[in-house]
Amino acid sequence: MKWEGQRESDNVDDLRGSGDGGGGAGFGGFGGRHIGIGAIVIALVGGWIFGINPLTILGLLSGGGVPVQHSAPAPHPGQPVQQSAAEEQKVRFVKTVLADTEDVWTAVFKERGGTYRDPRLVLFRGATSTACGRGDAATGPFYCPGDEKVYIDLSFYDLLRTKLGAPGDFAQAYVIAHEVGHHVQKLLGISDKVDAARRDSDKVRANALSVRLELQADCFAGLWANRANAMKNIIEAGDIDSALNAATQIGDDTLQRKASGTVQPDTFTHGSSAQRVHWFKQGYETGQIEQCDTFKAGAP
Ligand SMILES: [Zn+2]
């Protein structure tokens, strides 16, 4: 991806040095939307309970007994964060991709006679307070509709590359574009409608609605790739394959197969690998919001 030298967003809050990591009130009631590495989270919880390295359960570690750090340790409050040049490059990358999403969605909303409201993006370490409850890096990057912020712990990108098998900067950009897709759904009133429908549904139906919402965020990520490339010529050879591979690796069936060896479609919340690939491609090939109706009857 050609991104260096492009505009960087000002809408980034850097809380990496705030010392808000770790501990906290736990899982109850977190209302954010994330990229969907849920099977890993379930394995993590089970793993900690039984004292087993969770990534061993997932079969994602080749060697035995290597401790895996899921997120950077929280620094002491008030102490400046030690930034490596590599980490600072990641920060510039995130700011640049966020700026690309701002430019694309501002244009798309304008075409439709509307006005796009930029989300903010929060960089954090470990855990952080959000309007949706306590957000944890273990769930991967997430969007909170309550405060219209995207939250990212940069260590997720190491997990994405190494343990989830999705290397490449365009895979990282896809993750940001997916979360911004949830912000677009909030602005369009789609997530509120889906949340209301989910509350009136049984578990299986609620999961199916969640899948439709997530697949639409993937389609919006593809739309972003199309439009950002048209505006700024950012895509290089291999980039789209890198995003499609990421979509494949974080499909619910692929994650469940890795975690337990079995697949239970009724429990999917983000969609299968094939569905996630389909909808990213649909957005990428058309660049049109109308082509991202994942809720219509018979949609794949
Ligand atoms: Zn999502």
Side-chain angles (χ1 to χ4, degrees):
M1 176 177 173
K2 285 179 281 182
W3 63 272
E4 306 230 35
Q6 306 268 16
R7 184 175 83 81
E8 295 178 21
S9 174
D10 294 324
N11 293 312
V12 172
D13 300 322
D14 192 348
L15 301 186
R16 289 175 297 160
S18 77
D20 192 26
F27 281 77
F30 179 68
R33 307 221 175 264
H34 48 80
I35 188 72
I37 52 168
I40 286 191
V41 175
I42 291 161
L44 284 172
V45 173
W48 294 139
I49 290 168
F50 297 110
I52 302 162
N53 185 329
L55 292 176
T56 308
I57 298 174
L58 286 170
L60 297 173
L61 270 186
S62 48
V66 182
V68 175
Q69 201 169 28
H70 301 285
S71 56
H76 297 298
Q79 196 176 66
V81 183
Q82 294 295 316
Q83 315 289 15
S84 67
E87 179 147 326
E88 285 323 288
Q89 192 186 36
K90 282 184 199 168
V91 173
R92 287 195 296 112
F93 175 79
V94 167
K95 287 180 175 176
T96 305
V97 173
L98 184 64
D100 290 349
T101 66
E102 290 164 357
D103 295 344
V104 163
W105 287 109
T106 296
V108 171
F109 273 61
K110 200 172 171 190
E111 280 170 21
R112 304 165 58 86
T115 305
Y116 182 64
R117 185 165 68 238
D118 294 342
R120 292 196 73 82
L121 185 147
V122 178
L123 297 170
F124 73 102
R125 285 188 176 169
T128 189
S129 309
T130 83
C132 297
R134 196 162 182 85
D136 195 300
T139 57
F142 56 90
Y143 172 73
C144 173
D147 53 24
E148 299 192 0
K149 292 179 182 175
V150 173
Y151 292 84
I152 296 180
D153 180 322
L154 291 173
S155 67
F156 174 74
Y157 285 145
D158 299 327
L159 185 80
L160 185 67
R161 184 183 70 251
T162 57
K163 303 301 184 291
L164 290 168
D169 53 11
F170 214 72
Q172 300 178 358
Y174 153 59
V175 170
I176 298 172
H178 172 99
E179 300 308 334
V180 171
H182 285 312
H183 176 65
V184 171
Q185 291 174 319
K186 154 101 195 253
L187 296 184
L188 296 177
I190 297 168
S191 29
D192 283 348
K193 275 187 202 158
V194 171
D195 285 341
R198 291 186 76 221
R199 279 193 289 276
D200 293 334
S201 305
D202 63 20
K203 187 78 183 160
V204 170
R205 171 84 184 137
N207 284 345
L209 286 166
S210 171
V211 166
R212 294 295 146 192
L213 197 66
E214 294 296 336
L215 292 174
Q216 187 173 61
D218 284 337
C219 190
F220 287 171
L223 183 156
W224 164 79
N226 171 309
R227 297 285 190 120
N229 192 49
M231 283 177 167
K232 305 184 186 187
N233 197 23
I234 58 171
I235 294 178
E236 295 179 298
D239 280 349
I240 295 303
D241 285 346
S242 167
L244 294 177
N245 174 59
T248 302
Q249 298 300 339
I250 59 177
D252 285 324
D253 50 343
T254 300
L255 289 171
Q256 287 187 359
R257 208 172 285 117
K258 274 186 184 175
S260 66
T262 58
V263 174
Q264 294 177 279
D266 279 357
T267 66
F268 287 1
T269 55
H270 286 69
S272 69
S273 297
Q275 285 176 310
R276 299 196 75 159
V277 164
H278 171 86
W279 284 105
F280 180 90
K281 266 187 175 167
Q282 174 87 355
Y284 176 63
E285 285 167 5
T286 66
Q288 297 297 325
I289 206 167
E290 291 78 10
Q291 299 298 318
C292 290
D293 186 0
T294 56
F295 294 92
K296 74 173 176 229

